[in-house]
Amino acid sequence: MFNRNRCLRQVAAIASITSLMTGCGILSSDSSEDEGPVVVGTTSAPSTLDPAASWDSSWELFRNIYQTLLSYPYGASTPEPDAAENCEFTDNSNKTYRCELREGLKFSNGDPLDAKAVKYSIDRIRDIDVEGGPAGLLGSLDRVQALNDREVVFHLNKPDATFPFVLATPAMSIVDPDSYPADKVREDGKVLGSGPYSLQSYDEGKKAELVRNDNYNGYAERKSGAVTIRYFQDSGDMVSALREHQLDVAFRGITADDILALQTRESQKEFQVVESASTQISYLVFNPKDPWAAKPAVRKAVAQVLDRPAIAHKVYQDTVEPLYSMVPKGLTGHTTGFFDDFGQPSNSKAKQILADDGITETVPLTLWFTTDRYGSETKAEFEEIKKQLEGSGLFKVTLKSRPWKTYVQGYLEGEYPVFGRGWSPDFPDADNFIAPFVGDKNALGTPYPAPEITGKLLPRSRQESDRANVEKEFEEAQKILVEDARLIPLWQGRQYVAANNDIAGAERALDPSTIMTVGTLYRKTSW
């Protein structure tokens, strides 16, 4: 296995955090607002403002403006009550889950937030059923019952110990029934939630202005009265804005070159780089509707040729690590299945895989990537993949790309033969690195039945509340994924947040899904 160049760590300005820390610092307080909002830059722009339509980067914004029944206080690796006062399974079979809401909950406009609003919010996700949307997370849900103003019960159609994790995702954000239609997505560019901040104004793809929600009732820190989030298509432009002090914080999509540059002794005089452990992964998806991508031999030949350490070193300068399973390191069930089966990159072995299937001609493949979701290095990554595949003499590769918003629509409609995706988990469990990608309805828009996984292994694992006891099920599931090679993992990343030295709270800003909770950020002069 590949070992990261440790010299990246030899910088005093780095504060290392992990999503597995224990304890939680729950604090909600006011701060001086005289110096204006904290300004955060990111390459992760929302594709929608309606939780019922989102299973993507929109969650970055949702976590800060909407509220969920459960969430992750700082340091927590399992969900804890947020809009709820308490939640629990009420049976031994993990099929009935009850939550009692906090007293006096309100939306930002003063409307009451009660159990009926919770039921309405969850029901509309399934009723609208956006393709590739969060309804796929609710496969185990049978019905929602509002017993009274404060009690809501979720009746599941099968045991599912991961259901509390699902409720903690921003997709399950609670919306005001009077402002969100039951049968369609809200598309007026406005938001009404109950989160720690309210969305004061929104310029699609450019800027979101957040102000403190005075009606918020939850655990979240709010050390700044206002936060502005600016969206960038190019990570270089984002880091330039940070260096010019147009931003206070830069997050998501910072390139390896910029990370190293910000870690120099000279840059440390002005900037800090906070590094956190991450289960973010990058992978390739093969569309069975394409005549070449549908062939197992073609997919396995690609897996045999790919040189992951070269991608990690040449493109990402060792700020990511090669990944050989869809479940990343740090989670129960992680394996090295692709390395175990394919070993070191080998053009001759790949040629034999194709020949055994009767394929002797050069295989044409079109690989798609997004230009603005994962940072500027994505283009260089796919150019390296093209170089490797064509260098084998076995493939002829065409690269194509689109901005994220139209890119999503393309893969959901099955347009791309092979395409790249990144995945930051909905929740920190191996289930979430397998379940979203399999089944007739999944997050990728390309049906992947995998009946052994969906019908046996996942249901069996979900009967176990102690997630440390499901290793066998996930190891078996990953053997199937390796054999099918429909999904080919590339690398596992780390998360970096860069900030001006007068900003505090960056080390507390990321939850276990590496979603930023902006309320932890503040100027040191304000405290």
Side-chain angles (χ1 to χ4, degrees), residues 372-402:
D372 58 351
R373 170 65 176 95
Y374 307 117
S376 306
E377 289 157 322
T378 305
K379 180 180 179 182
E381 176 182 354
F382 274 76
E383 288 173 345
E384 173 63 22
I385 292 172
K386 172 183 169 74
K387 179 181 177 181
Q388 292 179 10
L389 294 180
E390 291 190 338
S392 71
L394 304 173
F395 300 93
K396 177 61 179 176
V397 176
T398 300
L399 297 181
K400 293 187 177 182
S401 61
R402 285 177 180 166

Side-chain angles (χ1 to χ4, degrees), residues 39 85 92 121 149 151 157 162 185 242 246 282 286 320 353 412 430 439 464 476 485 523:
V39 183
E85 186 170 281
N92 294 327
S121 300
D149 286 348
E151 289 183 272
N157 53 40
T162 71
V185 175
L242 177 71
Q246 298 170 6
S282 176
F286 289 77
V320 305
I353 290 171
L412 290 178
E464 179 58 64
E476 291 181 18
R523 290 189 176 84

Side-chain angles (χ1 to χ4, degrees), residues 222-235:
R222 294 183 299 168
K223 292 188 173 182
S224 291
V227 178
T228 295
I229 303 174
R230 289 182 55 190
Y231 300 110
F232 292 83
Q233 292 192 355
D234 182 84
S235 53

Side-chain angles (χ1 to χ4, degrees), residues 292 359-364 393-396:
W292 286 106
I359 301 172
T360 57
E361 69 266 46
T362 301
V363 176
L394 304 173
F395 300 93
K396 177 61 179 176

Side-chain angles (χ1 to χ4, degrees), residues 312-331:
H313 182 68
K314 292 180 181 180
V315 179
Y316 292 98
Q317 300 186 57
D318 305 318
T319 59
V320 305
E321 298 183 63
L323 182 65
Y324 296 94
S325 76
M326 288 299 290
V327 176
K329 290 196 300 184
L331 296 181

